Structure formats: structure tokens, C-alpha cells
Amino acid sequence: MEPISETLKRVVNAPAFSERYSEMRKEVLAHPGVQKFLEDHSDEIDAPTIDRGLHKLYEYIDQSHDCNKCPSLDGCINHLKGFEPNLVLERGTIGISYTQCRLKDVNDNKRHASSLIHSMYMPKEVMQATLSGFELDDSRMEAFRTVGEFLDQATGPDNLPEKGLYLYGQFGIGKSYLLSAVANELADINVKTVLVFVPEFMREMKQAIGDQTLQEKVDYVKKADVLMLDDIGAEAMSSWTRDEVLGTILHYRMSEKLPTFMSSNFSYSELEYHLTYSQRGEKEDLKAARIMERIRALTTPVMLDGRNRRN
């Protein structure tokens, strides 16, 4: 039997193999990334070093650089998905190290941003909202401008305007969408936002008494960097949910100067009327006025108008 060393010599010295090797070497050395690497290390790399490291150089050129060969992160062709190769010289030997690629950076940033937005009972489609997707016309310009002013002043979790907005208007005109778009913008500067659909939240608070999670849930909501209460006024408000839940949340946020956004079909005066009457029909002007005092302290009212975009 022929020794393996002799077999390898015969294969390597074969004309076809030598030709393929020569073509591969030319292809590798013509690559701009390889040329730059060799220029940067010209005083350390000689021809034998290149020949010994040719398989690493080929591994380098065969992959995507700056995502130029990958349609998406899922379609990444590199050996380590989401990481691109870099040539390195280690103790006189050519090698490869991997660093996170641009597409993975974008993907990780999106995942981080989404982790900063905590939704309670909000529709999924609303949570994908963007300011660029907010349809503008004359009746919606004021709300868009006021949102822009808030975002211009917000530079991070430790530097936020004290007052949020109270967006009010008819059904289906984009109030919830605009709140979510603001939350997504805030996530880009590492601000944690909690969005709460108020009617469902109030129903859960009643159930939370039985499972002893009431205080935990109220604390979670009231301490958010930014709180957004969507569709306030659509709930069947009892004296208890108004005073012990909503009142507690608003009082804490007013004391701590934490920005709060709200959306409603009601104006301030209409919401106060709604809060005045309990489910039992009792008229409680003073308690409603106390809640409204906190809402006025926490928000600036902005009317949102236009056509119903749900129809």
C-alpha cells in the first residue's frame, strides 16, 4: 500500500490540482480586503506565510462583508450567522476573528427597543406604530407637532419633560396609534414605557384583589419611566377603581414628576363628568375634581381630529 505522504505529494503535484491552486491563489490575492490586510502587515508577512494561511484567506473572501452578500440576518451566509470575518495575524500565522455584523446590530437594537415597551392589553398592530406612518392632515398637525416637541426635549430616561399629553377626539382617528409611535421613539433613547388599555386594566385590578397581586400591578404601572393610559373614560369606573387605583397612580406620578400620556374620547370637562358618577349613580363631584386636578397637572390637552381610520 502506498504511504499517505506519497499519495498527497502525487495529488498536489498533479497538473489539474496545481492549476486550481494557482487560480484560487490569484482570486484570494486579488480581493481588496486581503490586499489591505497584506499591505497593513507587509513587514510581517512573506510568501510562505501567505501560502500557509491561504485556506484562511479563502475562508475570509468566501463570506459576506458589511452584509454585502446577505439579503437579511436570517439569510446570512457566514459561518457564524450575524458575524463577519476579520483577518488577523497571530504569532506569525494568518487567522480569522469574527465581529457582530451591521444587520445583527440593527436586529439587536430593535429587540432591545421592543423590550423597553411593555404593553398591557394593547392590540399588536398598534404596537408596530411609527411616526412616519402617522397620516398627516391639517386636523392632525397640532397633535403631531406637540408630540414632536415632547420628543425633542426627551434625551434619555434621566431627562424627560415632566408633562405628557392628553390626546382626545372621536373614535378611530389614531390616538392609540400615536401613543404607540411615541413609545417606539422613546425606546430608541432607552426610555421604558408602559402602555395600558384602561378598561381592561381596571377589570383586572378588581380580580387582582382575589389573587393578592393588586399592589404589585399598581406599583409596576405607577413607577414606569413613561406611562400611557389609553382610552381612559371608556371603562365602567367605580368609586374604588377611580380613587384607589387611578387616583393612587396619578398621585404618585404627579409627586415624582413622571411624564404621563392619556388618550380619551372625552375632553377634560367631559371626562370630569364621567368620573363624577359612580356605577351606583352616586354623584361625587369632589372626588372627580381631585382626579382631574392630577390629570391637568400631568398632561397638556391636545385635540386630535380627522376621519375614522377604522372604517
Side-chain angles (χ1 to χ4, degrees), residues 74-88:
D74 288 338
C76 180
I77 66 168
N78 287 355
H79 297 181
L80 292 173
K81 184 173 288 191
F83 291 84
E84 60 181 317
N86 303 282
L87 291 170
V88 294

Side-chain angles (χ1 to χ4, degrees), residues 13 50 123 205 278 285 287-289 291 298:
N13 291 327
I50 293 174
M205 290 307 96
S278 69
D285 303 77
K287 291 182 178 180
I291 296 294
L298 286 165

Side-chain angles (χ1 to χ4, degrees), residues 184-196:
N184 284 317
E185 290 288 325
L186 291 172
D188 287 341
I189 55 171
N190 292 317
V191 175
K192 176 184 174 183
T193 301
V194 174
L195 290 99
V196 177

Side-chain angles (χ1 to χ4, degrees), residues 21-140:
Y21 181 84
S22 178
E23 289 176 356
M24 183 184 78
R25 195 174 194 278
K26 287 180 182 178
E27 180 187 359
V28 166
L29 295 180
H31 190 278
V34 172
Q35 289 181 349
K36 184 177 186 312
F37 173 74
L38 295 178
E39 287 172 8
D40 291 343
H41 299 276
S42 58
D43 57 340
E44 303 171 84
I45 296 178
D46 54 17
T49 304
I50 293 174
D51 288 335
R52 288 194 304 271
L54 196 64
H55 65 293
K56 286 294 183 182
L57 295 175
Y58 188 80
E59 179 183 332
Y60 171 79
I61 72 166
D62 192 46
Q63 299 186 71
S64 176
H65 304 274
D66 194 31
C67 307
N68 64 340
K69 298 179 182 177
C70 302
S72 64
L73 182 59
D74 288 338
C76 180
I77 66 168
N78 287 355
H79 297 181
L80 292 173
K81 184 173 288 191
F83 291 84
E84 60 181 317
N86 303 282
L87 291 170
V88 294
L89 190 65
E90 300 173 323
R91 295 191 292 274
T93 301
I94 296 173
I96 289 182
S97 67
Y98 285 86
T99 55
Q100 190 161 296
C101 73
R102 174 171 51 84
L103 289 178
K104 192 168 192 318
D105 282 339
V106 171
N107 183 71
D108 286 355
N109 288 339
K110 285 182 178 178
R111 290 180 63 185
H112 174 66
S114 64
S115 73
L116 293 171
I117 303 173
H118 297 256
S119 166
M120 301 178 75
Y121 327 111
M122 297 286 286
K124 280 188 177 180
E125 61 270 18
V126 172
M127 297 305 298
Q128 309 300 320
T130 62
L131 286 181
S132 60
F134 184 73
E135 296 178 27
L136 278 178
D137 55 39
D138 291 342
S139 63
R140 296 153 69 83

Side-chain angles (χ1 to χ4, degrees), residues 14 41 88 98 111 123 131 141 144-145 159 173 197 203 210 215 247 271 287:
H41 299 276
V88 294
Y98 285 86
R111 290 180 63 185
L131 286 181
M141 187 61 72
F144 190 79
R145 182 188 63 79
N159 189 19
I173 57 175
F197 181 60
R203 279 193 287 271
Q215 192 59 51
L271 181 63
K287 291 182 178 180

Side-chain angles (χ1 to χ4, degrees), residues 144-208:
F144 190 79
R145 182 188 63 79
T146 310
V147 160
E149 290 175 354
F150 179 92
L151 292 172
D152 286 343
Q153 296 175 51
T155 59
D158 298 322
N159 189 19
L160 294 168
E162 292 180 10
K163 278 188 124 178
L165 304 178
Y166 181 90
L167 301 174
Y168 69 98
Q170 297 303 308
F171 299 99
I173 57 175
K175 300 184 297 296
S176 301
Y177 185 98
L178 190 53
L179 288 185
S180 180
V182 172
N184 284 317
E185 290 288 325
L186 291 172
D188 287 341
I189 55 171
N190 292 317
V191 175
K192 176 184 174 183
T193 301
V194 174
L195 290 99
V196 177
F197 181 60
V198 174
E200 190 61 39
F201 176 71
M202 291 305 181
R203 279 193 287 271
E204 181 167 325
M205 290 307 96
K206 293 174 184 176
Q207 297 171 3

